[in-house]
Amino acid sequence: MSIENQSSNKQRVIFAGTPEFAAISLQALIEQQEALNIELVAVYTQPDRKAGRGQKLTASPVKQLALEHNLPVEQPLTFKKSVEEGQAARETLANYKPDVMIVAAYGLILPVGVLEAPTYGCLNIHASLLPRWRGAAPIHRALLAGDEQTGITIMQMDKGLDTGDMLYKVTYDIAADETTASLHDKMAELGAEAIVTVLKDLSHYQAQAEKQDDSLANYAEKLSKSEGEIDWTQSATHIERQIRGMHPYPGAYTFLVDPEGKSEPKRVKVLSAMPVNASQTTVVETGTVISVGKNAILVACGKESADQEATTLRLTKLQFAGSKPVTAEQVCHGSQLDDGDKFVAAPE
């Protein structure tokens, strides 16, 4: 039955999510409750976590938004029926008598018993064009892989990891200067628009559900901080994607060698860069600073392929340990870098 065609009884909707990405969709549903003929009966989110320098317990963005709008908030640790707390969480959810559950970056595994509890099941807002980039970090992985397109998939959840039938897709062309931060914000807005579209006529989209081709699937594993370490033997194109894909978290970084050898290499964050179209005019060891200029710091990188010339990366913003971010021009006028200095991997 179409949600928009029900005039007497509103669909009872549970929303489950945790970070800002999910909060954008929750805000859209709050604003569209009347138009969609829905009632948000409960919001599920991760338990409060310690955050900041003071390590104070902090509510998730989704919880903060829910409380602002006087929505009931549930924060179970588990839904496993094998433990008392999980069984109690299932019973609480069932008592809300949900017609549908919307899930966006919730961070808690939903067992089959929970997926089947709502009348129309659970819908997931996933930030990729499934089956590409199933898993925890689809936005990062799309940038790191150099994908030209990504998007949002509204999926009918099943017991697999992002394996459910696809109800609706929205495609987005990735800009050349896109970072994880900017792409996250665009995907969050697209996700909100997409779930509103689906809820306007849920039965229509469920009837046209498309199964995923598992042979085309790949997985977007959660990033580790070590993946931010720059390997200067890689091509400038590869490193530039790494810098964008790691911004703002976990961040791309390298280590600056002390030319006099009096101290250990110092960690430097690389905040933005651009590959140079032309290859190096001078063959130098990868990681070597070719020149420090007002517009960019040129660094020698590896080859795009074995039969091509070495490449060069233009660093435009850096952050030295214990200092604020600085532009190439500020570095040029300072004394942090000189021509011939060397960037290396983590010191052993």
Side-chain angles (χ1 to χ4, degrees), residues 236 275-281 309-313:
V276 177
N277 291 331
S279 62
Q280 294 172 199
T281 55
E309 298 294 329
T311 57
T312 305
L313 189 66

Side-chain angles (χ1 to χ4, degrees), residues 187-216:
M187 291 298 99
E189 293 293 340
L190 281 181
E193 294 171 9
I195 193 60
V196 167
T197 296
V198 170
L199 289 181
K200 285 179 180 178
D201 197 351
L202 179 56
S203 60
H204 165 75
Y205 288 102
Q206 288 185 324
Q208 295 192 136
E210 177 186 356
K211 290 192 178 299
Q212 296 188 41
D213 184 346
D214 292 339
S215 68
L216 300 177

